Amino acid sequence: RAGLNWITMFFVYVISSVDHKYIYVGLTQNLNVRISQHNSGKEKTTNPYRPFVLILTEKYSTRLEARKREKQLKSGSGKEWIKKEFGL
């Protein structure tokens, strides 16, 4: 539409399995849809660990920034920080 500026945001998120010791770090443009996909079993990687709770969301204006943070959180030290920060 003319006159409207649509801002694309990228979300880095962390979900934690309710029943298992499992943490998943991801990146998306639509957080609600993505979390729903994880909890409905549509994602092969996370399906066995359902259901999930969202424990962290960070917003970025560029995919590059978001991807950098996602990679950091997926690293060994990143996962350790998540576990310590959220008592997992």
Side-chain angles (χ1 to χ4, degrees):
R1 292 180 182 158
L4 292 178
N5 289 326
W6 295 101
I7 299 171
T8 302
M9 297 303 296
F10 297 90
F11 298 92
V12 174
Y13 64 94
V14 179
I15 54 176
S16 177
S17 172
V18 171
D19 300 321
H20 303 87
K21 286 193 170 212
Y22 182 81
I23 297 168
Y24 182 86
V25 178
L27 185 156
T28 187
Q29 286 181 273
N30 190 328
L31 190 60
N32 292 332
V33 168
R34 192 70 178 122
I35 300 306
S36 176
Q37 289 171 336
H38 286 296
N39 276 320
S40 67
K42 292 182 179 175
E43 297 304 318
K44 199 161 51 169
T45 306
T46 57
N47 185 36
Y49 306 101
R50 296 179 301 146
F52 291 94
V53 290
L54 181 65
I55 61 170
L56 177 68
T57 306
E58 296 177 353
K59 197 185 315 185
Y60 295 90
S61 56
T62 69
R63 184 171 188 79
L64 185 63
E65 288 177 294
R67 181 71 179 118
K68 186 176 177 182
R69 178 62 169 157
E70 180 195 29
K71 286 176 85 171
Q72 181 184 25
L73 289 173
K74 283 185 173 185
S75 72
S77 61
K79 288 271 178 97
E80 285 305 313
W81 177 83
I82 292 166
K83 289 176 187 174
K84 185 178 176 186
E85 188 74 14
F86 297 96
L88 304 173

